[in-house]
Amino acid sequence: MKKIIALTDYNGQFGTKRGAVPYRSGFNKAQLAAEFKSNGYNLEYLPIANVFSRGGSIVEDAPVIYTSSEDHGLLYKSYIEDVVLGLEICGVKVFPGYRFLRAHENKVFMEILRTSYKNSILNAPITDIYGVHEDLLSKQDEYSEYPTVLKRAHGSMSRGVDIARNRNELLRKAMRISSSPSFFADLKDKIRPWIHKGYKKVSARRNKFLIQKFIPNLDSDWKVLVFGSRFYVFRRPVRAGDFRASGSGHKNYLYGDQVVVPEGMLNFASSIYKALNVPHVSLDIAYDEKEFFLIEMQFLYFGTVGQEKANCFYESIDGEWKKNYTKLSVERVYAESMARYIDKFTG
């Protein structure tokens, strides 16, 4: 039987699962290992700290899967990125590839990633990315259509998402979300021009952000979780007096066969999934009654509420989408989709 190495975090956890027991403990590791075994793989857990540390060794004889993190400041997530990229550099097959980890909790790189595919289905709505507020100042005349949406590079449940209804609002709100204050560093930088002629001060607004075209008249958006051939759909209503859907709360979401799926949306999601060529994905989709838009995408460590609470999933049978009411654990759908994906690359 083939082997897969699963890198666990400093708490010995792997993945994320809404209904985990204990709370926020990730996948049930024993169950996950059993599901991988059913798919022809022995799953071996390895603490990520053992990979490159003293006494550790780079894993070269098996594919590697890993977890991510959404820790405050993304400090530990940065460490996971270092290890996963290091493994790729050493020739280890990691799944999904490092670029997909980089896109987690990083909307700026997510936009770069989707542009890299050069596939029109991935490139809407129009989005601009910025590293500092000053870059926006130099391009402010290019914005003539309002309202427009601003987003911090990281954050979920609509945190860090705002709307600008004119140029003044755009500049003011972009200034706020890009702010990166540091009292002593900023104080030193204010003094430097007096000492060094021609010195240009460091920006105090270095939190990267993006500006995205506003899609009007939306009453909801859809989250589609794809695990191989299984598509889980749930609908998120726009909050009253707001333009955002994802922060409206789980109790307001509609799951499974409660959802009236717009005609063509599953084909749209399937086309995106095939174009991305990943084991599984979470897609945020908007629909204005005429056109579908891919708002955001995540490739690992995404919320599982839509899979756990749905009473059915969709699968394409002979070109027609059918509801399947089989209740499956998130460990099973994760393991099956990942195993089938790894099969394609390892034979």
Side-chain angles (χ1 to χ4, degrees):
M1 187 173 286
K2 295 174 286 186
K3 180 172 71 172
I4 293 177
I5 302 296
L7 302 181
T8 56
D9 67 12
Y10 61 92
N11 280 324
Q13 298 171 355
F14 185 89
T16 182
K17 176 181 177 180
R18 179 181 178 273
V21 180
Y23 176 62
R24 300 187 74 175
S25 59
F27 292 154
N28 181 309
K29 292 196 296 181
Q31 185 178 353
L32 187 65
E35 296 293 352
F36 269 104
K37 191 169 185 178
S38 297
N39 285 276
Y41 286 94
N42 279 325
L43 186 65
E44 296 184 9
Y45 293 105
L46 176 70
I48 194 170
N50 290 3
V51 177
F52 286 108
S53 300
R54 184 181 306 179
S57 60
I58 298 173
V59 181
E60 295 180 343
D61 61 340
V64 171
I65 60 177
Y66 58 91
T67 189
S68 188
S69 174
E70 294 179 356
D71 61 305
H72 180 67
L74 302 178
L75 303 179
Y76 188 66
K77 193 247 180 181
S78 175
Y79 167 73
I80 295 172
E81 286 187 358
D82 292 341
V83 174
V84 172
L85 179 57
L87 287 171
E88 274 200 353
I89 291 171
C90 293
V92 177
K93 293 179 179 178
V94 294
F95 299 97
Y98 168 75
R99 64 190 183 278
F100 301 111
L101 170 63
R102 180 69 180 172
H104 175 231
E105 280 291 293
N106 186 344
K107 294 181 176 68
V108 165
F109 187 75
M110 182 190 71
E111 293 301 326
I112 294 172
L113 179 62
R114 75 156 124 191
T115 301
S116 73
Y117 280 87
K118 295 180 172 60
N119 188 320
S120 60
I121 199 169
L122 299 174
N123 292 332
I126 297 170
T127 304
D128 299 313
I129 60 174
Y130 293 99
V132 293
H133 183 256
E134 286 78 358
D135 285 343
L136 172 60
L137 291 177
S138 68
K139 294 188 176 184
Q140 58 181 290
D141 291 339
E142 298 178 13
Y143 293 92
S144 58
E145 293 185 17
Y146 292 94
T148 191
V149 177
L150 296 88
K151 296 182 180 180
R152 287 189 175 95
H154 65 274
S156 58
M157 300 297 291
S158 291
R159 290 186 292 269
V161 180
D162 208 337
I163 191 168
R165 303 187 185 280
N166 54 57
R167 181 183 294 189
N168 288 337
E169 273 198 5
L170 175 65
L171 298 179
R172 186 180 75 252
K173 292 183 176 182
M175 181 182 295
R176 186 181 70 242
I177 66 174
S178 63
S179 179
S180 54
S182 174
F183 179 79
F184 289 108
D186 292 344
L187 181 61
K188 288 180 180 179
D189 211 51
K190 287 181 179 179
I191 296 172
R192 289 189 178 112
W194 296 90
I195 302 173
H196 305 285
K197 186 177 181 179
Y199 173 78
K200 293 184 177 180
K201 291 192 292 185
V202 173
S203 173
R205 301 176 182 90
R206 302 185 311 281
N207 274 315
K208 56 191 176 183
F209 63 99
L210 54 112
I211 298 174
Q212 194 170 72
K213 182 178 179 180
F214 176 72
I215 304 170
N217 303 319
L218 298 180
D219 62 359
S220 61
D221 72 4
W222 283 263
K223 176 82 79 171
V224 182
L225 307 183
V226 187
F227 295 90
S229 62
R230 302 182 178 108
F231 288 63
Y232 292 86
V233 181
F234 65 101
R235 182 179 178 224
R236 307 181 296 188
V238 170
R239 293 183 288 189
D242 204 342
F243 69 100
R244 296 167 293 186
S246 62
S248 59
H250 296 163
K251 66 180 181 300
N252 296 318
Y253 298 170
L254 299 175
Y255 303 92
D257 65 3
Q258 295 177 323
V259 181
V260 178
V261 179
E263 184 177 354
M265 191 181 75
L266 290 171
N267 288 333
F268 178 74
S270 180
S271 296
I272 292 170
Y273 178 61
K274 290 175 182 176
L276 291 169
N277 190 22
V278 289
H280 32 252
V281 69
S282 170
L283 305 173
D284 290 3
I285 296 173
Y287 179 52
D288 64 358
E289 302 298 329
K290 295 181 292 185
E291 186 178 0
F292 295 103
F293 301 90
L294 174 62
I295 304 299
E296 293 182 10
M297 51 190 177
Q298 290 291 347
F299 309 96
L300 73 164
Y301 211 80
F302 49 79
T304 60
V305 62
Q307 190 278 333
E308 293 181 59
K309 296 193 73 170
N311 64 348
C312 68
F313 58 86
Y314 291 83
E315 54 187 349
S316 181
I317 300 175
D318 297 328
E320 186 176 352
W321 290 99
K322 301 285 189 180
K323 296 186 184 78
N324 187 319
Y325 286 88
T326 306
K327 188 65 178 177
L328 303 172
S329 69
V330 68
E331 287 85 358
R332 178 171 173 180
V333 296
Y334 173 90
E336 288 186 356
S337 59
M338 182 63 82
R340 298 291 75 78
Y341 184 77
I342 292 175
D343 284 345
K344 294 193 298 185
F345 293 91
T346 60

